[in-house]
Amino acid sequence: MASTMANIYQYCAHMQYKMPAPDADGLGPEIKDNADGSICVQYHPNKGGRHEVQMCYEGCAVDGSPFSCMVDQIDGSYVTAFGAGLVGGMSGQMVSFTVTAKQGSLSKLDVKVDGPTKTDITRKDHGDKCDISFLPMTPGIYNIIVKYNGKEMKGSPFVSKVSVHENGIPLKPGEGRKRSQLSLGNSSEYSLKVLETNVVDLVASVKLPSGAIEPCLLKKDSEGHLCVGSFAPKSTGDYAIHISRDEKPIKGSPFHIKVGDKELAHASKVKVTGPTTKAIANEPNNLEIDCSEAGYGGLSIVIEGPHRSEIECKHYENRKYKIAYSPHEPGIYILNLRFADDHLPGSPFLLQVEGEPSGRLRETVSKTMEQAEPVKKNQNCEFYLQIPGTNPFDMEASVTDPEGSTELCEIMDEEDFHYRMMFTPQMEGTHTISIKHKGLHISGSPFVYSVGQLASGGTHKVQVGGPGVEKGEVGVSNVFNIYTREAGAGELSVAVEGPSDALIKLEERPHGFLGVAYKVKVAGMYDIHIKFNDGHIPGSPFRVHISPDSGVARNVTVHSLKDRGLQVDKASTFTVSYNGAKGTLNACVRTPSGGHEDCFVQEMDEGLYGVRFIPKENGVHYLDIKLNDHHIPDSPFAIMVGSMAADPAMVLAHGDGLERGSTGTKNKFVVRTAGAGSSFLAVFIEGPSKCALSCREVDEGYEFSYTPFASGKYLITIKYGNINIAGSPYQSEVTARGGSGSGRKPSPLNETSSMVVETVEKRPGAKSLRRFRGDASKVNVRGPGLKKARCNATQSFTIDVKDAGHAMLCVGMVAPNGLPEPELMVKKNNPTQYTVSYRVVEAGEHTLCIRFGDEEVPGSPFSIAT
């Protein structure tokens, strides 16, 4: 096995196995330098079967790792076959693999390939290694027969599944096989049946039956219970889940999970029904996947082929999934179904996709982006954007320096909604640029602007924003902005794919800015692919619905719509006037947490409609109002619910964990929310493995710790009120280190771990107050004083908070005249029990309220008659 990586001394390789599991003793791989820019990895198997070699370079998995090798012993000699060609490839591209045998015995080796058409093979023997390649021009199943001394080796015939290139010919560089994936973790969650109001400050670990201790991923299920995420036990026995808060075990910890054979992940017991060999393009193809008897493990669906595919989970219940997938074009695809990282029986499936071509067309433009010149303090700086649909009088721009001081920028209004923002930084470091319209951030804001030495760049540092990546209209220029200053030099490409050709124009701007305008002729769903140095930027491809000429929708107007000052659980109403237009009106609200809520629409008069919605959370909401599925002018409308103080531009993140980390250890970073108001703080970590993610409150904000289980690159996205903070996403290089979890191989697809925290408002420099968390539903209130009272007679009842945790207890009583009762006393009997006594002087109905923390106890408010 050879590789062309430099510096042999930085390699790391070790052996892992799948059943049948050979004995691992004495297998330690040897790495040899071939002195020609390549290295050779050798190991000495002592049993036949499938071996996996995991190879790392500087702690990161080498592309293609782990490498699968089939080893067999024939006539006293080992024969090994390995290479991607034994599994599959693409038509029109060379498929290759390697067979090794005893030195000088390759003449005994015989290899044949049988497939849909006759295929010639190319064979090169050198030493103990035989490199074999063949060029399949027709997609389908190719059987690779490997014989040594007239006997077939174990695993032969190898089934190589070849899919088709677009138009049956090799694609251009960078346009290889398209890969669409969906990862579902529902069937790997184990509920602990414990209610916790907040996961902040919770730390969890699991003690395995072997005695080893590993970090544990905690999350809340749909019913609000704590559960262990990504629970995939590898052996039977007792698993002890230890959960603590402030270094003290929570009630019930440790939680014991008894794992028998039926709880272990068995991919062979997953049942699949539906189209796995034939499908229809551009139509839903429905799979039903039953994991109810397969134990605990995550399910993944990956479709590879000449075009992208849409994959969606339609329903999940009782560990049974309903999956719909839709390839964009006819052709031959590979369908991979895995449970707990193991293929289901028959997977990967060769999928023949039939049906009519979609007729989708793709137009691409490219531009070489030069490295922006660094700027110094006290040097004039410019920020240049095009922001259609804005009013210059409602625009506001500010810059925040590394110390947290904010100053307004000078804004120059230029033609066609172009704005030039100018500022003069007073110090070096990372600055945050906030650009707002009517007090709310525009698409893409806040931006990062480095003063002084520019930090290392990367694809993840390209920022995109503007209406053109959110919505569009036929026949007009749909505009968005690309900001590459922090990403460094590189090749930028923009592609628009959809039902019609797109006319794409790039507007060159200085200092790492680029304007993009595209125009299409046919309505429908379009994909905007933005790549930097051949890699998709975060969020790409962007799916944009292009509506027909809005026509009469331009006549529609909105009246009495409040865009700020709204409160949670209080209805907001406004009116929509057709002004002579005809059609169907629809209104929908997009919430800060990513949900969609339909608005109530009612006709009040001919051509006049009332619209009503009730916000359920604080933050910026976006209101889509459409007539006949066309956005009306200024839609979507940005609406602020709650305080305007919640500002993602004031949130900063820092810590080594944002740049580097190690497997099996806690890697930390802090998100500073002091001075940024209160909102939802969300952290997403995407990479080669799940991460055990925890959070604790600190004076300046929240400290997050994540423990990855495989080396590689992890993308860390931080959002505040559903808006990326400045600098997000971050990329962390995780390397393998000794300790728990360091030996795990990367997942075949990217895994995502997430945590959402509802923050409390903090002031810069202030100390965090102790926060009490209790469960009001577990408070027990009883006694005769809850039912009836007599004037001028003392009544009483008791309150027991034994099982409710720690929180503030509040008791209040209001007389029929609306005033508080003057005689109300709470007496503490013991640490968890209280007696409440009161005396009323006015006849009528009295109201008694009892709160524990922020919630009413069961039965409260009580109505007491006299």
Side-chain angles (χ1 to χ4, degrees), residues 431 699 757 759:
H431 291 60
D699 291 344
V757 176
T759 66

Side-chain angles (χ1 to χ4, degrees), residues 581-846:
K582 301 290 184 182
T584 303
L585 185 72
N586 290 296
C588 173
V589 172
R590 287 177 278 146
T591 65
S593 60
H596 290 73
E597 299 289 341
D598 290 327
C599 300
F600 177 73
V601 180
Q602 185 175 23
E603 186 174 12
M604 300 172 63
D605 200 350
E606 185 176 355
L608 184 66
Y609 286 77
V611 182
R612 178 176 179 268
F613 72 96
I614 302 176
K616 296 296 183 183
E617 56 188 271
N618 289 316
V620 180
H621 294 58
Y622 291 93
L623 175 63
D624 294 307
I625 303 178
K626 298 180 181 181
L627 182 70
N628 298 331
D629 205 29
H630 303 153
H631 281 278
I632 70 171
D634 297 329
S635 174
F637 299 86
I639 299 170
M640 172 59 79
V641 178
S643 171
M644 291 287 289
D647 188 353
M650 302 304 294
V651 179
L652 298 176
H654 61 87
D656 291 342
L658 295 174
E659 298 179 358
R660 67 188 72 88
S662 300
T663 59
T665 61
K666 288 186 177 181
N667 306 287
K668 299 179 180 181
F669 60 90
V670 173
V671 182
R672 192 185 77 184
T673 60
S678 174
S679 187
F680 285 99
L681 174 63
V683 174
F684 304 88
I685 302 180
E686 181 182 358
S689 76
K690 288 278 189 182
C691 295
L693 184 59
S694 61
C695 170
R696 72 182 185 94
E697 189 175 350
V698 294
D699 291 344
E700 60 178 325
Y702 298 85
E703 182 186 73
F704 289 87
S705 302
Y706 68 96
T707 305
F709 300 104
S711 58
K713 294 181 179 180
Y714 288 77
L715 204 64
I716 302 174
T717 302
I718 304 173
K719 293 187 176 185
Y720 200 64
N722 205 32
I723 298 175
N724 270 314
I725 70 170
S728 173
Y730 302 86
Q731 185 170 276
S732 177
E733 291 273 359
V734 173
T735 55
R737 290 289 184 271
S740 171
S742 61
R744 296 193 187 180
K745 67 177 183 179
S747 169
L749 70 165
N750 275 350
E751 301 277 7
T752 301
S753 306
S754 63
M755 176 175 282
V756 179
V757 176
E758 187 172 4
T759 66
V760 295
E761 191 165 352
K762 294 174 177 286
R763 294 184 179 180
K767 293 288 185 180
S768 295
L769 298 175
R770 185 182 176 190
R771 297 183 65 191
F772 296 98
R773 299 176 178 88
D775 187 354
S777 66
K778 295 183 179 179
V779 175
N780 188 9
V781 184
R782 60 185 182 275
L786 296 173
K787 300 177 181 179
K788 195 169 183 179
R790 290 184 297 169
C791 290
N792 298 311
T794 300
Q795 309 292 324
S796 64
F797 58 90
T798 60
I799 302 175
D800 192 341
V801 297
K802 180 180 179 181
D803 299 322
H806 301 281
M808 184 175 292
L809 177 65
C810 301
V811 183
M813 194 170 189
V814 179
N817 60 13
L819 298 175
E821 282 291 350
E823 294 189 33
L824 178 69
M825 183 176 67
V826 180
K827 181 181 178 182
K828 186 175 182 179
N829 302 328
N830 58 51
T832 62
Q833 191 176 79
Y834 302 83
T835 296
V836 180
S837 57
Y838 64 90
R839 188 167 67 92
V840 300
V841 296
E842 182 183 352
E845 188 174 292
H846 295 67

Side-chain angles (χ1 to χ4, degrees), residues 31 87 97 241 291 322 325 526 642 841 861:
I31 303 174
V87 179
F97 59 95
I241 311 296
C291 306
K322 291 185 178 179
Y325 69 90
Y526 286 75
V841 296

Side-chain angles (χ1 to χ4, degrees), residues 34 197 293 321 348 355 684 721:
N34 295 330
T197 56
E293 298 178 1
Y321 298 89
F684 304 88

